[in-house]
Amino acid sequence: MLVPILIFDLGLVAWSLHLMQQAFDKQEFSLMLAGTLVAAAAVAMLVVYFLMGHCLTYWDLNAQ
């Protein structure tokens, strides 16, 4: 399950870099904000994935 999430995150990071490059070229703040929000979403998805993985492992060990 980690591989599809990593591929999706890499796509989000690539998209955010593309948005930020467009923002730099066009001097638009809104595109820079959008790129930052997409990058933050990618980081948040990885954080939630790893936190839930640890929680599920903890719950599984305590259930036995």
Side-chain angles (χ1 to χ4, degrees):
M1 185 67 182
L2 180 62
V3 174
I5 290 176
L6 286 177
I7 291 171
F8 187 72
D9 270 352
L10 285 175
L12 285 176
V13 169
W15 184 32
S16 72
L17 290 175
H18 176 71
L19 287 172
M20 289 183 187
Q21 182 63 44
Q22 283 184 338
F24 184 75
D25 292 341
K26 296 179 182 181
Q27 296 294 318
E28 286 194 31
F29 176 73
S30 61
L31 285 174
M32 184 62 76
L33 180 62
T36 304
L37 291 174
V38 170
V43 170
M45 187 187 324
L46 278 179
V47 168
V48 168
Y49 175 79
F50 285 116
L51 285 176
M52 285 306 298
H54 290 297
C55 287
L56 292 176
T57 303
Y58 176 76
W59 289 335
D60 187 40
L61 291 176
N62 285 337
Q64 294 176 352

